[in-house]
Amino acid sequence: MRQIHKAVVAIAISLLAAFSITAIAQSSDNARFLSLSPDGGLPIIPILEGWIANPDGTTSFSFGIVNRNEHAVEIPIGENNFITPAKYSGLQPSYFPSGRSTGVFAITVPSSEQNDDVWWHLIAEDGADLKVPGRRGQDAYELDFILARPQGSLQPLVGVGEHGAQSAGLYLVGEHPEKVTVGSRAELVVNMSDPSMRDPSDPRFGELLPVGVHFTKYQGPGDVEFTRHPSSTVPVNPYKPGSPRFNFFSEPGPGDSEVPGGSGVARIYATFSEPGEYLIRTQVENFTAPDSSKGDQCCWTNVIMKVNVSR
């Protein structure tokens, strides 16, 4: 019995040593992947959030990203950032903020292509092809937030400008109507309303919930600096420490604001460093609702606004 015990201990020590050596080797060979505080140079990871069966028979594939670098990274549309089939390339972002960005854009395919894969390719610095398919079929990846959630949350309706027609979607396109020049401060405006149907007798919904608004560069030849408009309301964490939702809240940046009561207009100032065509993504969400959050994959609308900047 003592010999068996010694043998078991020896095997355990050997396995532990082998594991330690392997972990050290992986750490030295792939330090950029194991580092908790990366200093830069890490690849951008494309994410398939899921697929949506639209009422009109089309299918939408929702994509997000993970950027573990401490700073934003740009990968121009082209040989290092492309989508196949090629007819869908160009809809994806070329600007990747630091951290996890959920539901950044979507590609919608007709019913005749619903069973075909749509691949998003991001080529890393070492040449690795980090790709993910937009693919329909797996129930676990089906997103159905185009329907009301358990407490009634729905995608916000959004329009470009103060009075632009509102609609909901994962990838809506509009155009900034005014002339913009390099170095000047342009006012970007979206209007919105939250169509969610909540129980007014529920104490959680005694007051109308705000919607969050997030302006981010999406594509463009230069830098974009966002400055809050004087009318902006800065969001605060509505949850107390210890709440499961407390850690889902992100400290607001200069491009973040909210619209109280779920209906109204959001404004922001944007300054562009170079001439050319820019795309600005505005994500409008109702993540303060108990049945909506990034983690729940519900409920937001993306508007991609074209801004032409001249000298």
Side-chain angles (χ1 to χ4, degrees), residues 145-166:
F145 61 72
I146 58 176
L147 305 175
R149 301 294 81 212
Q151 278 79 46
S153 287
L154 287 165
Q155 290 177 277
L157 301 171
V158 188
V160 175
E162 287 190 44
H163 307 292
Q166 295 183 349

Side-chain angles (χ1 to χ4, degrees), residues 13-309:
I13 292 174
S14 298
L15 290 174
L16 179 61
F19 176 79
S20 299
I21 292 171
T22 301
I24 292 172
Q26 289 179 340
S27 179
S28 59
D29 292 343
N30 301 304
R32 67 179 187 174
F33 293 105
L34 298 179
S35 172
L36 297 179
S37 300
D39 57 0
L42 296 180
I44 308 301
I45 310 299
I47 301 291
L48 173 66
E49 311 287 9
W51 60 274
I52 300 96
N54 298 312
D56 62 1
T58 61
T59 298
S60 294
F61 303 115
S62 177
F63 294 92
I65 56 173
V66 175
N67 175 9
R68 292 183 57 245
N69 298 284
E70 295 180 346
H71 303 289
V73 173
E74 300 221 29
I75 306 177
I77 306 297
E79 61 181 3
N80 293 326
N81 180 4
F82 62 95
I83 291 175
T84 55
K87 63 182 179 180
Y88 296 116
S89 198
L91 301 178
Q92 71 273 30
S94 63
Y95 177 85
F96 304 91
S98 179
R100 171 76 161 99
S101 298
T102 302
V104 175
F105 75 106
I107 292 175
T108 299
V109 301
S111 58
S112 59
E113 299 178 21
Q114 68 178 15
N115 295 319
D116 299 336
D117 290 348
V118 176
W119 288 89
W120 184 18
H121 302 255
L122 291 174
I123 309 303
E125 291 182 359
D126 61 4
D129 184 359
L130 305 176
K131 61 183 180 179
V132 65
R135 179 177 296 165
R136 176 173 174 147
Q138 292 292 332
D139 292 343
Y141 278 90
E142 182 175 7
L143 305 178
D144 59 353
F145 61 72
I146 58 176
L147 305 175
R149 301 294 81 212
Q151 278 79 46
S153 287
L154 287 165
Q155 290 177 277
L157 301 171
V158 188
V160 175
E162 287 190 44
H163 307 292
Q166 295 183 349
S167 57
L170 296 174
Y171 193 98
L172 307 176
V173 178
E175 188 162 356
H176 182 63
E178 300 177 1
K179 180 179 179 181
V180 178
T181 57
V182 171
S184 64
R185 199 166 63 172
E187 184 181 83
L188 308 183
V189 183
V190 292
N191 70 89
M192 68 214 62
S193 59
D194 185 358
S196 299
M197 301 171 290
R198 303 188 176 101
D199 182 0
S201 65
D202 189 321
R204 295 173 297 179
F205 310 130
E207 297 181 0
L208 294 175
L209 299 179
V211 292
V213 186
H214 312 279
F215 292 88
T216 311
K217 179 183 173 182
Y218 191 78
Q219 293 181 17
D223 296 329
V224 182
E225 180 182 1
F226 294 105
T227 308
R228 284 201 181 91
H229 191 274
S231 64
S232 297
T233 301
V234 181
V236 297
N237 196 335
Y239 303 102
K240 297 180 180 179
S243 167
R245 290 179 171 268
F246 181 82
N247 292 328
F248 280 98
F249 181 81
S250 299
E251 290 295 325
D256 301 328
S257 63
E258 67 179 20
V259 174
S263 178
V265 172
R267 306 173 188 273
I268 198 169
Y269 293 125
T271 305
F272 301 86
S273 67
E274 301 292 336
E277 182 179 271
Y278 291 78
L279 298 181
I280 303 298
R281 179 173 73 101
T282 306
Q283 186 178 71
V284 180
E285 41 80 4
N286 53 25
F287 293 160
T288 57
D291 55 352
S292 174
S293 76
K294 294 179 182 179
D296 294 332
Q297 288 290 339
C298 182
C299 301
W300 67 87
T301 287
N302 287 323
V303 173
I304 309 298
M305 187 185 305
K306 295 181 180 180
V307 182
N308 291 302
V309 179

